[in-house]
Each structure stands twice: as C-alpha cells, then as structure tokens.
Amino acid sequence: MRTRIIGTGSCLPETVVTNDDLSKIMDTSDEWISSRTGIRERRLVKDETTASMSIEAARRALEDAKVSAQDIDLIIVGTITGDYVTPSTACEVQAAIGADKAVAFDVNAACSGFMFALHTADAYFKAGIYKTALVLGAETLSKIMDWNDRSTCVLFGDGAGAAVLRAEETGILAYDQGSDGAKGMVLACKNRLNNNPLVQNPKDLQYTYMDGQEVYKFAVTTVPASINKVLNEAGLSVEDIDYFALHQANIRIIQSVAKRLKVSEDKFPISLDHCGNISAGSVPILLDEINKKGMLKPGMKIVLSGFGAGLTWGSAVIEW
Ligand code: ACO
C-alpha cells in the first residue's frame, strides 16, 4: 500500500505586487530582488486569509480528484500563519467543506509543512488507520513580515495549495525527513511574549528574522543529501526523475541543488518568479501548477522537497 496524490488545488490572493511596486514604498529595486532571488512579483492578501485560501484550494483539489468531502478521513494543514491560535486551520477547512468524518489538525514545520503533513498522512495510511486525506500547505506570511526590513519582506508571498491523497498500489516510493533545532534561530519568528499578573511585557508585535546566508548554506547542503537518500531508498537515480518540485525559496538555491545533483535546471519547475516564497504553500502550489498545465502523466517519477525554519526538511519520491 502506498500514498498516491489523486488531485491538486491552489488559491492565491487576487492582488499582485511587483518588485517595482515595492521599490515605490522601500529602498529596493527589481534588479536587486530578481538578480538575487528570481522573484519578480508575489501575491499579497487584502481580504483573503490563511483559512479562506485553504478552503478554496481544498475545494479545487477535491474537484480535481473527483472525491466528496464526506470521503475525507483526515485533514492536515502545514502552516505557521493560521487565522487563529486555535481552532486550527485544518478544523476551519473541515467545517467549511463539510468533511464531517475527518480528523483535522495543523503541523508547524514552516517551509517543510506540506512535506511533513504528507508524510504524517502516509504513516496513518501505512498503519491502516485512514484511506483518504486532504493535505495542505498555506500561509499568510505578509502578516509576520517587518515591512521596514527590506532584506526579508521582499522574499515572501501569500497563498495555499492542497492535495487529495488515497491509499493505492503506487504513490510515495520513499521518504526522508529531518530536523535540526540547534540551528533554529537562523530563521525565526517569536510568538506572543509572556503576559500574566506576574509578568508584563510591552505589547510589541513580533516579526520574522532571517540570517539569509546561513539558510542558504543549510539548503544547498541538506537538500541534495536528502534527495539522494530518497532516490537510493527507492532504487532510482536522478536520470529516472521527470521533475524535481522543490520549495520555492530562491532561484540560486534551486540552481545550486540542480548543479550538485548534476541535473539540468529544466527539470526544476519554478513558481517563485510570480509567487515569491510561500513557505508551506510553495510545494503544493507548484505541484498544482504543473499538474494543471498537463505536465504530469501517470507513471512519471517526481521528487518533492521542502526545507526551512526549524530547521526542518522533507523529501519524497513519488510515482504519479
Ligand atoms: N533591496 C536592496 N538592497 C538590499 C535589500 C533589498 N531588498 N535587502 C538587503 N539589501 C542590501 C543589504 O542592506 C546589504 O547592503 P550593504 O552591503 O550596504 O550592507 C546588501 O544588500 C547585501 O545584503 P545581504 O543580506 O548580504 O544580501 P545577500 O547577498 O546575502 O542576499 C539573500 C540576501 C537573497 C536573502 C541571500 O542571503 C539568500 O539567497 N539567502 C537564502 C535564504 C533564502 O532564500 N531565504 C528565504 C526564506 S528561507 C526558506 O524558505 C528556506
């Protein structure tokens, strides 16, 4: 028994914000951003929220999979930017789509969130507990950015992606995931500060901090190693893989991973040019884009890989 992706969906906010738009409100330029990251524009929320985009992405994935919400046993959302501390985004999705029989919860693994959700569903399937699941990666990163910090805020965007999973004969062939909490502070966003009758903190808001160069070093070493591990486990080589759908952090990271794996960059589809970095949303949104373009055919082998804050990483090789 394996975990197969049988449908995908995604939802981006309506409003496009280009690098030139940003250069009108901060000291930056299209040249600086696009040459270092490959990002040309991103979508930012106005009225949309993490839950509203997740609900729409979930509906589109169910339609693509031709599966009823009533058939869903499990909903897992990878997110660090839910609308509420509680209820979870997964519970909001469950209520909105009417997946009454599903168990629903979120996972916090930042840019690896979708991959961790996928692997958790796979473990439930392998244990024989559930057979049909909806997994999502969704973020409203713009609300945890310091819009006065040009070195981070220009990198990120908002959006949600979803996949419907079913226990079938083929699907995930091998999986690798890992965490390195010791390096957690290179990419961090603090939660609320202590606040009770004993401790009174100023009610300041907390924003994302990133040591970009440390994150770059982590990504370009860990991701190729993780991908090689899943390929070895599946008994495949890089030549057997049709596409490498990586977390969309930065074009330089993707180019470096391609070089280290000795694979043509043509096998690495890109959405960061028009989406920016959507953390947990990146991999499922990219997967939905290439699926809807008709690029995925039954039997193709695809590597998915997410990596980011925690630090965390997760890779899978799947048969489509
Ligand atoms: N516009 C113009 N100038 C800027 C901007 C900006 N938006 N941001 C920073 N600068 C300036 C800095 O102030 C600095 O100026 P100085 O030399 O006068 O001090 C200069 O540009 C260089 O700044 P660095 O931070 O050293 O820039 P670097 O070349 O390292 O590039 C980047 C930054 C693109 C983030 C790079 O470190 C990188 O690719 N990191 C990988 C991490 C990443 O992509 N993270 C995304 C999120 S994490 C994840 O999803 C896994």
Side-chain angles (χ1 to χ4, degrees):
M1 196 292 308
R2 296 193 192 278
T3 298
R4 182 151 181 229
I5 297 177
I6 58 165
T8 62
S10 62
C11 177
L12 297 175
E14 246 180 69
T15 311
V16 175
V17 178
T18 65
N19 293 344
D20 283 335
D21 292 333
L22 291 181
S23 72
K24 289 176 192 139
I25 56 168
M26 66 185 75
D27 183 13
T28 190
S29 64
D30 178 51
E31 198 280 320
W32 194 97
I33 301 170
S34 58
S35 65
R36 280 171 178 77
T37 69
I39 298 165
R40 298 197 170 274
E41 59 185 45
R42 74 287 293 140
R43 304 283 187 103
L44 299 184
V45 294
K46 278 187 176 166
D47 299 329
E48 302 92 342
T49 70
T50 300
S52 75
M53 294 185 290
S54 298
I55 291 161
E56 191 51 40
R59 288 192 174 125
R60 291 173 186 172
L62 288 172
E63 200 184 317
D64 187 44
K66 299 181 182 57
V67 164
S68 149
Q70 285 294 316
D71 294 331
I72 300 293
D73 306 313
L74 173 70
I75 303 173
I76 312 178
V77 181
T79 187
I80 54 168
T81 51
D83 298 2
Y84 296 90
V85 173
T86 190
S88 66
T89 304
C91 282
E92 289 196 87
V93 171
Q94 181 206 16
I97 66 173
D100 306 339
K101 296 184 201 129
V103 163
F105 59 90
D106 291 355
V107 295
N108 175 337
C111 306
S112 313
F114 176 79
M115 297 306 299
F116 278 36
L118 183 66
H119 198 204
T120 304
D122 182 54
Y124 274 115
F125 285 12
K126 286 208 166 77
I129 299 171
Y130 301 125
K131 289 194 175 72
T132 312
L134 186 58
V135 291
L136 296 97
E139 304 289 5
T140 309
L141 292 167
S142 57
K143 69 184 178 186
I144 58 164
M145 289 301 135
D146 178 353
W147 287 92
N148 293 312
D149 175 7
R150 64 180 181 170
S151 64
T152 52
C153 70
V154 301
L155 305 173
F156 297 93
D158 302 327
V164 179
L165 313 178
R166 202 158 54 199
E168 291 197 3
E169 289 297 302
T170 192
I172 298 177
L173 305 177
Y175 199 97
D176 172 58
Q177 67 184 152
S179 306
D180 182 2
K183 297 210 184 86
M185 289 308 134
V186 304
L187 181 52
C189 181
K190 223 173 184 347
N191 208 328
R192 287 187 186 192
L193 301 173
N194 289 352
N195 178 39
N196 62 38
L198 307 176
V199 190
Q200 260 124 51
N201 270 305
K203 292 195 185 339
D204 58 337
L205 292 168
Q206 307 294 330
Y207 295 112
T208 304
Y209 162 81
M210 181 180 71
D211 180 336
Q213 286 167 17
E214 283 303 314
V215 173
Y216 182 88
K217 277 189 247 164
F218 151 71
V220 300
T221 51
T222 309
V223 176
S226 178
I227 291 175
N228 278 325
K229 203 168 161 191
V230 288
L231 291 177
N232 278 341
E233 200 181 315
L236 297 170
S237 72
V238 287
E239 288 80 33
D240 298 316
I241 302 303
D242 294 285
Y243 293 112
F244 295 80
L246 264 54
H247 167 50
Q248 300 286 295
N250 183 311
I251 195 71
R252 287 183 174 174
I253 293 176
I254 293 173
Q255 287 166 339
S256 172
V257 172
K259 202 169 158 197
R260 284 167 196 243
L261 291 174
K262 301 190 176 62
V263 177
S264 159
E265 282 173 38
D266 297 345
K267 284 194 174 185
F268 288 72
I270 297 296
S271 63
L272 59 80
D273 55 340
H274 57 280
C275 287
N277 177 347
I278 311 182
S279 189
S282 275
V283 171
I285 291 169
L286 177 66
L287 196 60
D288 184 47
E289 284 191 5
I290 62 176
N291 185 25
K292 299 291 162 64
K293 281 181 190 158
M295 290 162 65
L296 304 178
K297 311 276 180 234
M300 274 186 167
K301 310 276 190 309
I302 300 145
V303 163
L304 307 177
S305 187
F307 49 91
L311 299 172
T312 57
W313 61 94
S315 303
V317 55
I318 61 173
E319 184 168 71
W320 192 252

